[in-house]
Amino acid sequence: MSGWADFQQEAPDLAGMVRSRFTHHKHCLLATVRRDGSPRLSGIELWFWKGEAWLGLMPGSAKGSDLDRDPRFELHSAPTDLDLEEPDARIHGIAERVSDDATIAAFAADLPHPAPPPYEMDLFRVEPTHAVLVRVEGDELVMESWRPGVPPKRQTRR
């Protein structure tokens, strides 16, 4: 599996633009797969820490249970710009649960508003399998995408 660092190494410009969309504002949307196979859409924050992308969830959350059962997800940057002047980003991937207490404690301690011990959270490392940035340039819709081991791809539509 690849991590955010691999995306950044293989497509640094695109990874930087995608990251900026997820750090532009605090909230994004997470799609997971429910037990019955239907989608679950949840608000969440995506954190970049130690060269990787992370999801910190409240313990026992439904989205955490979804990821334990089926680690596939999609994150959407949830644009706030209704005129589409700002790009829109999506990350598809696999969420890998982290159960190492030292890693969880270090992650929690480095949050902007550190969580107090005992750092109860469900922590997942994001392993991107596909990333997309969509923006409007003039009268064209521009889509840039990346998959591990494949050069970035650019498509336009009128």
Side-chain angles (χ1 to χ4, degrees), residues 28-86:
C28 60
L29 298 173
L30 173 70
T32 58
V33 181
R34 296 174 189 256
R35 183 181 308 279
D36 67 3
S38 64
R40 181 186 314 274
L41 192 60
S42 307
I44 196 164
E45 297 172 41
L46 178 66
W47 298 98
F48 293 91
W49 181 67
K50 297 200 179 232
E52 295 295 341
W54 304 82
L55 301 170
L57 288 62
M58 292 192 313
S61 69
K63 56 192 158 196
S65 296
D66 289 347
L67 292 172
D68 283 334
R69 189 176 44 263
D70 184 337
R72 296 175 298 166
F73 69 86
E74 182 166 344
L75 282 164
H76 187 252
S77 63
T80 57
D81 168 29
L82 300 179
D83 295 322
L84 301 177
E85 292 178 9
E86 298 174 352

Side-chain angles (χ1 to χ4, degrees), residues 111-142:
L111 289 173
H113 302 287
Y119 309 114
E120 292 180 3
M121 72 170 58
D122 290 339
L123 183 62
F124 292 85
R125 188 177 70 87
V126 169
E127 297 180 355
T129 58
H130 186 206
V132 179
L133 185 78
V134 180
R135 66 181 174 277
V136 176
E137 287 184 1
D139 61 350
E140 290 185 327
L141 186 65
V142 178

